[in-house]
C-alpha cells in the first residue's frame, strides 16, 4: 500500500503560507522544514537537505514541496494515484513552463493524451513538488548532505543524482502543482508557472492509470520571445541561450517549412499586420509539436484533453512583452486557438503536406 510522507521546505518570510499548504495536503501528513539560516546567502539546497532527510516512519515514499506553490484540487488523492502508477520512479508534479527540455516533453505528452511525461535527465529536475521511493529519498538526502550550501540550486543536484542512480523521472500531466507569482528567494527572473495546470478542475481518478508518453527524442521545440526554435538535444547544451530558428532547422526533423507556412496562411490572413509575425511563430510551434506527437501513437483525434492548456501556457510564456501588450485577452485567446489548430494540422500532416 502506498503511503506518502511530506516535507514542506520554507523560508520564515513565507511562514504564513505553511498552514494553508499543510491543510491542502491533508490527509497526507505534511511537516514544515524551516530554512536553518534564513539570514544567510539564499540557498534552496540548504533547506532541501533537511527536507529530504525529514522522513516519517512507516512511509513508502517521501515528497518534498516548496513554500511558494499552489496545489490542484484533490491533491493528496491524486498524488497517491500517480505514485501507485510509478512506484519505483521519481515523480514530479510540476515543470517550468518555458524550460528548454522538460516543458516541451510535458506539452508533447499532453497532445498525445498521456498521463505522464518522461523528463530529461540532463535538464534540472523540477523540485517544487517531487516524490521518491523512501529508500531513494534517503539516498538523495545523503547525497545532498555532502554538497556545500553555496551550490544553491537543489534541482540541478537532483537531476545528477537521478541520472547517476538510473532513476527514471516522470511528470504528471496535468501538473498538480503550480508556482506562485512572488519573486523567488534566490531572485530568478521572469514569471515562473506550470506548463500544464488546470486550475479549478479536478482530474478524474481514472486518468492516473493512463500511459506514459514516449521517451525524449532528439529535439525539442520552444516558443520564446515570440520566436519558435528547435533545439537538437545532443548538440545544444541545456543552458545554451539560443535555439535554431524553426524554418532553418525543419529539415532536421522531417518537416517541410514551406508547407507549414502555406497551411498557416488561411488561419492568420485576417489578423492585424502587427500580429502576423508572432502568429506565424505560434503556428509553427504548434505544427511541430503535433507532428512530433503523431510519431508516437496512440494519439486521440485532435490531441489529448489538456492540449489547450499546453498551448495556452506556451502563448502566455512564449510571447515577447510588446506582443503580449498588443494582444490583450481577446487576442491571446485567438492565438491559443491558432496554436491548437496548428497542433491538429501537425497531427494530421506531420511532414507539412497531405500524404507526407
Amino acid at each position: 500500500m502506498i503511503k506518502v510522507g511530506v516535507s514542506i521546505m520554507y523560508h520564515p518570510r513565507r511562514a504564513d503560507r505553511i498552514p494553508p499548504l499543510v491543510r491542502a495536503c491533508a490527509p497526507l501528513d505534511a511537516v514544515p522544514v524551516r530554512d536553518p539560516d534564513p539570514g544567510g546567502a539564499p540557498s534552496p539546497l540548504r533547506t532541501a537537505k533537511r527536507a529530504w532527510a525529514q522522513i516519517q516512519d512507516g512511509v513508502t515514499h517521501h515528497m518534498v514541496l516548496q513554500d511558494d506553490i499552489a496545489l490542484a484540487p484533490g491533491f493528496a488523492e491524486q498524488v497517491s494515484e500517480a505514485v501507485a502508477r510509478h512506484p519505483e520512479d521519481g515523480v514530479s508534479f510540476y515543470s517550468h513552463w518555458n524550460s528548454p527540455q522538460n516543458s516541451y516533453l510535458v506539452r508533447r505528452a499532453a497532445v498525445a493524451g498521456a498521463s505522464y511525461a518522461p523528463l530529461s535527465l540532463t535538464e534540472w529536475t523540477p523540485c517544487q513538488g517531487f516524490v521518491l521511493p523512501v529508500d531513494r529519498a534517503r539516498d538523495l538526502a545523503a547525497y545532498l548532505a555532502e554538497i556545500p550550501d553555496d551550490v544553491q540550486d537543489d534541482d540541478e543536484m537532483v537531476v545528477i543524482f537521478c541520472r547517476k542512480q538510473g532513476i527514471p523521472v516522470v511528470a504528471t500531466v496535468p501538473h498538480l502543482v503550480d508556482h506562485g507569482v512572488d519573486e523567488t528567494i534566490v531572485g530568478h527572473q521572469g514569471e515562473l508557472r506550470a506548463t500544464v495546470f488546470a486550475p479549478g478542475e479536478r482530474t478524474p481518478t481514472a486518468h492516473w492509470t493512463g500511459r506514459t508518453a514516449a521517451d525524449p527524442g532528439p529535439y525539442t521545440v520552444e516558443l520564446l520571445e515570440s520566436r519558435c526554435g528547435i533545439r537538437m538535444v545532443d548538440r545544444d547544451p541545456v543552458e545554451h541561450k539560443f535555439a535554431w530558428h524553426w524554418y532553418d532547422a525543419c529539415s532536421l526533423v522531417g518537416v517541410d517549412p514551406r508547407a507549414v507556412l502555406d497551411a498557416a496562411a488561411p488561419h492568420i490572413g485576417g489578423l492585424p499586420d502587427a500580429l502576423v509575425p508572432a502568429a506565424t511563430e505560434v503556428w509553427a510551434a504548434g505544427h511541430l509539436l503535433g507532428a512530433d506527437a503523431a510519431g508516437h501513437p496512440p494519439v486521440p483525434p485532435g490531441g489529448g484533453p489538456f492540449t489547450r492548456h499546453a498551448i495556452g501556457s506556451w502563448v502566455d510564456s512564449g510571447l515577447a512583452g510588446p506582443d503580449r501588450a498588443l494582444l490583450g485577452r481577446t487576442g491571446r485567446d485567438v492565438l491559443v486557438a491558432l496554436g491548437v489548430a496548428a497542433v491538429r494540422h501537425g497531427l494530421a500532416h506531420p511532414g507539412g503536406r497531405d500524404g507526407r
Side-chain angles (χ1 to χ4, degrees), residues 30-170:
V31 177
V33 178
R34 183 180 185 272
D35 185 336
D37 184 18
S43 173
L45 176 63
R46 181 173 58 230
T47 312
K49 290 179 182 182
R50 289 147 184 88
W52 281 106
Q54 190 73 40
I55 298 175
Q56 301 165 31
D57 293 338
V59 301
T60 62
H61 293 76
H62 181 59
M63 177 165 61
V64 172
L65 301 176
Q66 297 185 0
D67 59 9
D68 56 346
I69 59 173
L71 304 181
F75 176 73
E77 179 185 0
Q78 294 185 83
V79 163
S80 296
E81 293 286 344
V83 170
R85 184 66 168 171
H86 286 271
E88 303 299 323
D89 301 341
V91 182
S92 181
F93 302 101
Y94 171 89
S95 69
H96 177 38
W97 64 357
N98 62 8
S99 59
Q101 294 180 17
N102 287 334
S103 65
Y104 177 71
L105 296 172
V106 168
R107 288 190 175 95
R108 189 183 68 168
V111 169
S115 302
Y116 304 91
L119 296 188
S120 167
L121 285 179
T122 56
E123 185 178 284
W124 62 89
T125 297
C127 290
Q128 282 72 15
F130 185 57
V131 66
L132 283 169
V134 67
D135 290 343
R136 297 291 201 175
R138 290 193 183 99
D139 292 343
L140 175 58
Y143 175 79
L144 295 178
E146 300 298 318
I147 301 171
D149 290 346
D150 57 11
V151 171
Q152 191 180 85
D153 290 326
D154 56 331
D155 51 8
E156 294 188 359
M157 299 301 102
V158 171
V159 72
I160 294 172
F161 169 81
C162 290
R163 184 169 65 244
K164 287 182 175 179
Q165 296 296 318
I167 303 171
V169 177
V170 300

Side-chain angles (χ1 to χ4, degrees), residues 158-347:
V158 171
V159 72
I160 294 172
F161 169 81
C162 290
R163 184 169 65 244
K164 287 182 175 179
Q165 296 296 318
I167 303 171
V169 177
V170 300
T172 57
V173 183
H175 298 325
L176 301 181
V177 169
D178 195 9
H179 206 289
V181 297
D182 293 349
E183 180 181 340
T184 66
I185 293 293
V186 296
H188 290 308
Q189 300 299 309
E191 191 173 359
L192 308 177
R193 302 304 296 267
T195 305
V196 179
F197 191 66
E201 299 180 25
R202 178 145 182 178
T203 305
T205 300
H207 175 78
W208 301 115
T209 64
R211 64 189 176 90
T212 302
D215 288 342
Y219 68 92
T220 64
V221 180
E222 71 177 26
L223 182 65
L224 198 61
E225 291 297 312
S226 298
R227 181 182 185 273
C228 174
I230 296 175
R231 288 178 175 267
M232 307 307 295
V233 173
D234 60 346
R235 305 180 198 179
D236 302 329
V238 170
E239 302 293 348
H240 185 65
K241 297 295 184 183
F242 303 104
W244 300 93
H245 188 248
W246 73 272
Y247 192 92
D248 300 324
C250 263
S251 62
L252 298 176
V253 301
V255 175
D256 180 351
R258 295 163 298 178
V260 173
L261 291 179
D262 289 346
H267 296 268
I268 65 177
L271 295 178
D273 289 346
L275 282 181
V276 169
T280 302
E281 300 295 296
V282 169
W283 176 273
H287 175 93
L288 290 167
L289 176 61
D292 191 3
H296 306 282
V299 180
F306 296 100
T307 296
R308 184 170 295 274
H309 292 84
I311 298 301
S313 76
W314 221 358
V315 169
D316 292 339
S317 66
L319 294 186
D323 287 328
R324 286 200 304 273
L326 184 63
L327 276 175
R329 182 69 194 185
T330 300
R332 179 262 185 195
D333 291 344
V334 168
L335 282 197
V336 172
L338 178 73
V340 171
V343 166
R344 291 172 177 164
H345 187 271
L347 287 169

